[in-house]
Amino acid sequence: AQKVTQAQTEISVVEKEDVTLDCVYETRDTTYYLFWYKQPPSGELVFLIRRNSFDEQNEISGRYSWNFQKSTSSFNFTITASQVVDSAVYFCALSEEGYSTLTFGKGTMLLVSP
Amino acid sequence: DVKVTQSSRYLVKRTGEKVFLECVQDMDHENMFWYRQDPGLGLRLIYFSYDVKMKEKGDIPEGYSVSREKKERFSLILESASTNQTSMYLCASSLVGGGSEQYFGPGTRLTVT
């Protein structure tokens, strides 16, 4: 069975601080995909990134970076120099090869104060 | 621009009423999904559909049914609404196959009184 754990329920930071959101997953498959989504206060989930299990390269997109480590089954998300607009709930998710469904973690609420 | 739309942002219904939540996507996606989101529980899959008239139960299908008569439209039906179905309902769509990202609608916040 697959499982995604986001141990941090809520994180509060002050603007310009760096923050890392943790994601730990469990799966028996060797081929799988990991995702991060952002849910701002408006409610609509926005896709941020997808990673497949064969690509352990870290990824950077502007202030966002992702660290995928198969050895620890983790796919962590770092926001550098956080901004108020980063305030949202962030979800990590997993899908296995051949399956279209996603298993979501329970989400981490990030609050960035001015 | 890809789009998933849901018929209502907010809905208030009485216990025992039949409730229809509609979702439409314009991306020609094969897969469509219905989730509910509750504080502390994250997103839980209710049903999904991988083709017209095809459906599969998700993790929490009890008390719900679905209909997909056209590829672009996926309806969630609460046959007899109950207060424990008060929640945020999210619709999503995706291409077929593992690794396909899902695109979400804005959500419907349903209150059953």
Side-chain angles (χ1 to χ4, degrees):
Chain A
Q2 49 188 325
K3 186 178 177 182
V4 176
T5 301
Q6 295 180 255
Q8 303 150 309
T9 306
E10 202 170 311
I11 301 174
S12 291
V13 299
V14 177
E15 219 172 8
K16 297 183 184 173
E17 281 186 41
D18 298 347
V19 58
T20 294
L21 310 182
D22 297 333
C23 173
V24 174
Y25 63 91
E26 294 175 30
T27 176
R28 293 179 194 166
D29 268 20
T30 54
T31 303
Y32 52 89
Y33 303 86
L34 296 161
F35 302 79
W36 276 96
Y37 283 84
K38 175 182 180 179
Q39 186 180 38
S42 60
E44 187 169 333
L45 268 79
V46 176
F47 165 73
L48 295 177
I49 191 172
R50 174 189 55 234
R51 250 320 181 237
N52 74 54
S53 52
F54 297 108
D55 184 1
E56 284 193 77
Q57 276 195 334
N58 291 335
E59 175 132 355
I60 299 174
S61 176
R63 296 183 298 106
Y64 294 174
S65 62
W66 291 269
N67 181 268
F68 176 28
Q69 291 199 336
K70 286 175 79 170
S71 59
T72 55
S73 298
S74 65
F75 186 43
N76 296 337
F77 174 28
T78 297
I79 302 174
T80 303
S82 60
Q83 299 176 2
V84 172
V85 294
D86 295 326
S87 296
V89 181
Y90 291 86
F91 290 95
C92 182
L94 166 73
S95 75
E96 293 173 340
E97 179 70 8
Y99 293 90
S100 296
T101 56
L102 294 177
T103 298
F104 284 86
K106 293 185 178 177
T108 297
M109 179 178 289
L110 174 64
L111 179 61
V112 183
S113 306
Chain B
D1 199 14
V2 297
K3 204 91 174 140
V4 178
T5 56
Q6 296 183 228
S7 49
S8 308
R9 290 302 302 269
Y10 300 94
L11 208 52
V12 179
K13 295 291 181 181
R14 293 192 181 277
T15 301
E17 279 194 76
K18 191 168 186 175
V19 181
F20 292 87
L21 303 183
E22 304 283 338
C23 175
V24 177
Q25 52 97 1
D26 65 358
M27 295 165 280
D28 202 35
H29 283 167
E30 293 86 0
N31 294 330
M32 296 188 75
F33 307 83
W34 275 107
Y35 296 89
R36 65 176 280 176
Q37 182 179 11
D38 300 289
L41 298 178
L43 276 75
R44 293 179 292 168
L45 182 65
I46 305 172
Y47 267 99
F48 75 97
S49 168
Y50 51 92
D51 201 352
V52 174
K53 297 190 187 295
M54 306 304 287
K55 62 186 179 185
E56 293 254 355
K57 292 180 180 179
D59 301 317
I60 51 163
E62 297 79 19
Y64 303 94
S65 62
V66 290
S67 172
R68 192 163 180 204
E69 298 295 321
K70 292 185 177 181
K71 190 176 185 180
E72 68 271 18
R73 189 179 295 270
F74 192 35
S75 302
L76 180 69
I77 303 156
L78 288 66
E79 294 288 344
S80 177
S82 63
T83 55
N84 63 14
Q85 293 179 309
T86 291
S87 186
M88 169 72 93
Y89 290 88
L90 293 164
C91 176
S93 71
S94 78
L95 293 169
V96 74
S100 297
E101 66 267 30
Q102 295 182 13
Y103 294 89
F104 284 80
T108 295
R109 187 166 294 283
L110 172 68
T111 302
V112 183
T113 61

